[in-house]
Amino acid sequence: MRKRNIYIGVLSLVSASVTFGQNWTEARVGTWTKVTNKGGKALGYSPASGVKLLTDKGFAFKDLNKNGKLDKYEDWRLPTDVRAKDLASKLTVDQIAGLMLYSKHQPIPAAAGGPFAGTYGGKIFAQSGANVSDLSDQQKEFLNKDNLRHVLITSVQSPEAAAEWNNKAQALVEGLGVGIPINSSSDPRHGTRADAEFNAGAGGAISMWPGSLGLAATFNPDLVQRFGQIAATEYRSLGIATALSPQVDLATDPRWNRVSGTFGEDPKLATDMARAYIDGFQTSTGANEITGGWGYHSVNAMVKHWPGGGSGEGGRDAHYGYGKYAVYPGKNFQTHFLPFLNGAFKLKGKTGMASAVMPYYTISFDQDKKYNENVGNSYNKYIINDLLRTKYKYDGVVCTDWLITADETAVDVFLTGKSWGVEKLSVAQRHYKILMNGVDQFGGNNESKPVTDAYQMGVKERGEAFMRTRFEQSATRLLRNIFQVGLFENPYLDPQVSQKSVGTAEFMKQGYQAQLESVVMLKNKAKALPLTKGKTVYIPKRFTPAGRNFLGMDIPEKLEYPVNMSIVKKFFTVTDNPAEADYALVFIRSPDSGGGYSTVDAKAGGTGYVPVSLQYGDYTAQGTRDPSIAGGDPLEKFTNRTYSGKTAKTINTSDLNMVKETFAQMKGKPVIVALQVSNPTVVAEFEKESNAVLAHFGVQDQALMDILTGVHEPSALLPMQFPADMKTVETQAEDVPRDMKCYVDADGNTYDFGFGLNWKGVIQDARTAKYKQSTLSLK
């Protein structure tokens, strides 16, 4: 049996020859070493990091700070909070400042240009000769120089590449300082590729599920919890231990461009979905549990956005200066807390509460009744300290949304600073104000200097002891989230295992089934659906005008089939001649009129403020709010943001024309419309020109084909109201759920929250009985 020299005891370094393998064994896994403690925790370390092992009572431990003794934070037998507090007390101010950073978006490999660009040895990836899993120059810098340990991962080339990048990054930081592992995170990444074909044996890069609105449309919290369990398994296989989700804002204004990321507008449904989602992500069971439900399959959930961001005035969004104000004309501020207080903070599972919270960018206008500040939520002492921390006793991590400490450069640019209400403060002063409110972390900030500058401000104002205690408080919270998912014991992955664990056939199957259960049938005149397989169908091409995406990147004009025709041809014969068709299938998307601000209007001498429209045809706002409730920006010379009398033009008005033209061409033969919903839609413009309407929230084309042909019966329900017209959209209160006059179709059905059809007619079941009652009792 092989022998080696190891550390014995906890107080001194003793070199001894010990029989290796009696109490713990080790094995090489690629570039790292796995240690198996019999009756204890498995460890992983990189020999390249310089870390060695300590033993105590027959168990192995990692000597992460290389001091030759077993510190409390290195002892996996101790409670998480004991370990976190011990390590926090050992950290320098610079190290804590690094923990407080959350990186800018990191694609793997780094992009050649644009906002997420990076280099390898000073060259773009394609010219560098680097491996796809290598760390970029910028990543090495913020990990080494700035002590950053929280990394936001975006695109990855493959599960293997993600695992290999993780191992290289973890080996680097394991050899630095006290060996704090990286806690990687991700925005939601389980959306569908519409044109991807599903079959029961197919694996994929990651399983595909409906988006949040689609999950909500199932009205099935158990399904959402199962999604969370599967997604967490896949995240951990990619090296991701924190989810920047769920988004539980109540979508009380139907015009908001982030409605699709929510669980809809109803407080009770959103609360139940939030709880299920987080329980699924955070809970480990059996051998994977470490303690208290946390473990090796757990992913920290960062619930967002406290105290709710769905009530922007006029439906505008606070990523932009033109949408910075959330308003409450219905005096409904506290209703927006419910998915947090009764869902995210009251879990059924052992983990108890979401481990992290992200406030939104918005200024919750005139809701601070104590300090009377109209500043962004992370800057607002009343909203963070008095409410979240003190009244509601939340002691998890609070992390700002991205870029809130940077300077604003334009009111209509996505990637600009969002220091709403504190624009006159310096960058360091903004950090200090945020820290004093009880926030722990700064999103999208790779540089530690503003944090250490804020520390020095506090020392001058309150003394060294106070600021040291304040920093250790945040460090303990941040470290707790790294300890509880087992990263200090083993942050490494086996790339081959990752490849087999992500997008398994079973995960893909369950995701696909959830997609089927997320499609709402709104109309089925004379039982036009299901269609007979093998019949001839006409599918018009969809026109997309040239434009720019939210990052300002050009989008070329396109005229193309809106679905994967090779999939369609497995169900139908396809013709380009409506006269030959038995049916027409028309695929459209919700109207998109932009975010409620027009540079054209501004350049023409206007304020720039225009309506956000939910109809395809031109919409001119008449008799709308004037003056606006809120307004004002350093880059504007006015405070009245009214858009009364202004006109909104929808970017995809051609979708409406496509339905009407197809209806005329089919001359009475069935026209079936599939509407991809991102926002409640004024369907009055096309409903009468359709025989059946399916509403979906982003599913694979094949899922639509399975429903159209009766392979699966529609079962989903609307997670939000569809308005009768734009007048009711304008008169509803931005902060009040379910307060619109809903559309009534030609068959007499009302497109209200909880409405949906199956083959027999209007669905009335346990879900509708539970959720369709008035929300008034929830206030």
Side-chain angles (χ1 to χ4, degrees):
M1 184 170 290
R2 185 165 64 88
K3 297 183 179 182
R4 62 175 287 179
N5 291 333
I6 58 173
Y7 294 139
I8 301 294
V10 298
L11 297 177
S12 61
L13 178 60
V14 180
S15 180
S17 180
V18 178
T19 301
F20 178 60
Q22 292 181 349
N23 297 311
W24 51 272
T25 60
E26 70 174 4
R28 195 65 178 264
V29 183
T31 59
W32 58 280
T33 299
K34 181 177 182 180
V35 178
T36 302
N37 280 298
K38 187 176 180 181
K41 303 302 181 187
L43 311 178
Y45 72 97
S46 170
S49 72
V51 165
K52 292 184 173 59
L53 297 178
L54 300 163
T55 61
D56 181 61
K57 297 181 180 177
F59 292 117
F61 304 85
K62 296 195 304 188
D63 185 17
L64 289 167
N65 60 4
K66 306 177 186 66
N67 67 352
K69 67 178 184 178
L70 184 61
D71 294 288
K72 287 182 180 180
Y73 87 91
E74 296 165 335
D75 190 342
W76 43 258
R77 296 167 300 190
L78 295 176
T80 293
D81 279 352
V82 171
R83 299 177 70 189
K85 289 177 182 177
D86 175 63
L87 181 52
S89 71
K90 290 176 165 60
L91 298 180
T92 66
V93 170
D94 285 345
Q95 288 171 327
I96 295 176
L99 269 182
M100 290 177 168
L101 305 179
Y102 224 121
S103 83
K104 298 175 182 176
H105 298 65
Q106 301 296 312
I108 301 173
F116 311 132
T119 56
Y120 298 81
K123 299 179 181 179
I124 63 171
F125 176 74
Q127 299 172 359
S128 67
N131 187 285
V132 68
S133 60
D134 285 348
L135 275 65
S136 70
D137 299 334
Q138 292 73 23
Q139 290 163 356
K140 291 176 183 177
E141 180 177 8
F142 64 60
L143 294 174
N144 277 287
K145 176 174 172 281
D146 294 287
N147 298 299
L148 186 150
R149 293 296 179 269
H150 292 80
V151 181
L152 172 54
I153 303 295
T154 56
S155 60
V156 296
Q157 196 170 90
S158 68
E160 285 175 300
E164 290 168 359
W165 182 92
N166 171 81
N167 291 350
K168 292 176 181 178
Q170 298 289 10
L172 171 63
V173 299
E174 188 174 69
L176 300 175
V178 294
I180 299 173
I182 288 169
N183 181 359
S184 292
S185 71
S186 174
D187 284 307
R189 58 192 313 120
H190 281 82
T192 59
R193 252 187 52 229
D195 62 349
E197 185 170 5
F198 171 80
N199 64 71
I206 199 163
S207 60
M208 291 187 281
W209 296 71
S212 294
L213 266 186
L215 292 173
T218 69
F219 280 59
N220 184 352
D222 291 340
L223 181 152
V224 174
Q225 183 165 343
R226 180 58 182 151
F227 160 72
Q229 293 167 342
I230 290 173
T233 299
E234 295 184 311
Y235 272 30
R236 292 303 300 266
S237 295
L238 296 171
I240 296 168
T242 292
L244 301 186
S245 59
Q247 183 188 336
V248 304
D249 312 78
L250 295 180
T252 49
D253 192 283
R255 298 163 291 189
W256 188 34
N257 67 14
R258 300 197 70 179
V259 166
S260 62
T262 73
F263 293 125
E265 65 179 309
D266 183 72
K268 182 170 179 55
L269 180 64
T271 295
D272 289 350
M273 293 300 187
R275 185 188 307 110
Y277 185 108
I278 298 167
D279 268 333
F281 265 89
Q282 291 192 168
T283 306
S284 290
T285 58
N288 291 309
E289 183 180 359
I290 297 173
T291 185
W294 289 104
Y296 304 111
H297 277 190
S298 298
V299 171
N300 295 290
M302 185 179 290
V303 62
K304 55 190 187 184
H305 304 89
W306 175 262
S311 62
E313 185 163 20
R316 296 184 294 268
D317 178 60
H319 276 89
Y320 305 88
Y322 62 67
K324 65 169 67 172
Y325 295 103
V327 295
Y328 302 89
K331 302 187 183 336
N332 223 38
F333 183 49
Q334 294 185 359
T335 296
H336 291 254
F337 303 175
L338 293 175
F340 297 91
L341 303 184
N342 296 341
F345 302 164
K346 288 185 180 178
L347 303 179
K348 291 182 179 179
K350 293 181 183 178
T351 64
M353 68 176 189
S355 66
V357 170
M358 181 187 294
Y360 203 38
Y361 298 113
T362 46
I363 295 171
S364 297
F365 191 70
D366 280 355
Q367 299 310 302
D368 178 354
K369 307 302 184 184
K370 186 171 182 180
Y371 310 103
N372 298 313
E373 278 197 301
N374 277 315
V375 293
N377 291 317
S378 288
Y379 292 103
N380 193 293
K381 184 177 180 180
Y382 174 71
I383 286 172
I384 303 299
N385 178 73
D386 293 47
L387 290 180
L388 182 61
R389 290 297 195 194
T390 304
K391 182 175 181 178
Y392 300 121
K393 298 179 171 39
Y394 181 76
D395 191 42
V397 167
V398 177
C399 176
T400 75
D401 214 326
W402 265 230
L403 296 177
I404 77 161
T405 58
D407 291 329
E408 180 186 20
T409 58
V411 296
D412 59 345
V413 173
F414 183 83
L415 289 176
T416 188
K418 308 171 201 306
S419 49
W420 309 145
V422 295
E423 292 90 348
K424 293 182 180 179
L425 297 182
S426 70
V427 172
Q429 287 171 331
R430 293 169 193 164
H431 282 76
Y432 181 55
K433 183 173 177 62
I434 288 170
L435 286 169
M436 291 303 99
N437 291 342
V439 176
D440 306 297
Q441 201 166 28
F442 302 93
N445 186 350
N446 291 9
E447 299 173 355
S448 61
K449 188 176 185 303
V451 186
T452 55
D453 286 348
Y455 181 86
Q456 293 305 324
M457 288 179 182
V459 170
K460 289 180 181 179
E461 182 176 321
R462 299 170 182 256
E464 183 88 40
F466 176 90
M467 283 307 293
R468 178 70 204 188
T469 299
R470 173 67 192 88
F471 261 46
E472 286 190 28
Q473 181 185 44
S474 284
T476 300
R477 291 171 181 149
L478 292 160
L479 290 166
R480 180 196 299 148
N481 288 2
I482 306 177
F483 277 112
Q484 65 196 9
V485 296
L487 289 175
F488 271 90
E489 277 57 71
N490 183 17
Y492 296 97
L493 301 168
D494 183 336
Q496 293 182 342
V497 172
S498 292
Q499 186 70 26
K500 295 175 182 177
S501 302
V502 178
T504 67
E506 180 59 28
F507 292 172
M508 297 294 280
K509 179 181 178 181
Q510 292 196 42
Y512 187 75
Q513 180 63 29
Q515 292 179 50
L516 292 172
E517 294 178 25
S518 74
V519 179
V520 182
M521 185 162 67
L522 295 177
K523 181 179 181 180
N524 194 20
K525 182 180 180 181
K527 297 195 174 180
L529 297 180
L531 305 177
T532 302
K533 260 184 148 180
K535 292 284 189 176
T536 301
V537 300
Y538 166 65
I539 299 176
K541 290 183 178 179
R542 185 172 185 269
F543 175 71
T544 303
R548 292 190 176 187
N549 66 12
F550 66 96
L551 293 175
M553 301 170 68
D554 289 333
I555 300 173
E557 177 183 301
K558 290 185 293 185
L559 180 63
E560 59 188 1
Y561 285 112
V563 286
N564 185 333
M565 296 305 283
S566 64
I567 292 176
V568 174
K569 288 175 181 177
K570 293 184 177 182
F571 291 81
F572 302 106
T573 299
V574 178
T575 180
D576 286 330
N577 183 358
E580 297 175 353
D582 298 303
Y583 324 110
L585 305 180
V586 186
F587 297 86
I588 64 175
R589 295 178 180 175
S590 292
D592 179 4
S593 68
Y597 186 89
S598 168
T599 54
V600 174
D601 179 85
K603 289 177 181 178
T607 62
Y609 290 88
V610 295
V612 178
S613 177
L614 300 181
Q615 67 182 40
Y616 294 97
D618 291 355
Y619 167 65
T620 300
Q622 298 292 340
T624 54
R625 187 181 293 146
D626 187 6
S628 60
I629 292 175
D633 187 278
L635 301 179
E636 295 176 338
K637 297 179 180 179
F638 54 87
T639 57
N640 186 1
R641 293 181 162 189
T642 185
Y643 49 81
S644 184
K646 302 278 192 71
T647 298
K649 292 182 177 292
T650 299
I651 296 167
N652 59 329
T653 188
S654 56
D655 281 13
L656 176 62
N657 298 334
M658 188 165 57
V659 176
K660 290 182 174 295
E661 290 169 4
T662 301
F663 180 77
Q665 291 168 333
M666 290 299 289
K667 298 180 179 179
K669 291 181 289 186
V671 175
I672 316 300
V673 175
L675 170 66
Q676 182 171 338
V677 178
S678 55
N679 290 84
T681 298
V682 179
V683 297
E685 294 174 294
F686 67 84
E687 180 266 319
K688 292 182 175 62
E689 284 83 17
S690 63
N691 297 79
V693 179
L694 295 179
H696 71 97
F697 308 93
V699 299
Q700 291 170 256
D701 297 337
Q702 187 173 342
L704 292 176
M705 295 300 117
D706 277 343
I707 289 177
L708 288 168
T709 57
V711 175
H712 182 85
E713 183 173 15
S715 61
L717 307 168
L718 283 179
M720 56 197 180
Q721 297 179 316
F722 270 31
D725 48 38
M726 280 302 299
K727 181 178 180 180
T728 190
V729 173
E730 293 287 6
T731 57
Q732 59 89 39
E734 285 94 336
D735 60 321
V736 178
R738 295 170 56 179
D739 63 339
M740 290 193 294
K741 177 185 177 183
C742 298
Y743 180 71
V744 179
D745 71 11
D747 293 334
N749 290 319
T750 302
Y751 293 5
D752 201 349
F753 170 82
F755 169 74
L757 301 171
N758 57 23
W759 302 141
K760 295 177 182 178
V762 177
I763 297 171
Q764 293 181 327
D765 57 16
R767 299 172 302 163
T768 58
K770 180 177 182 179
Y771 290 106
K772 283 190 72 173
Q773 75 272 21
S774 171
T775 61
L776 294 177
S777 61
L778 295 169
K779 292 184 181 179

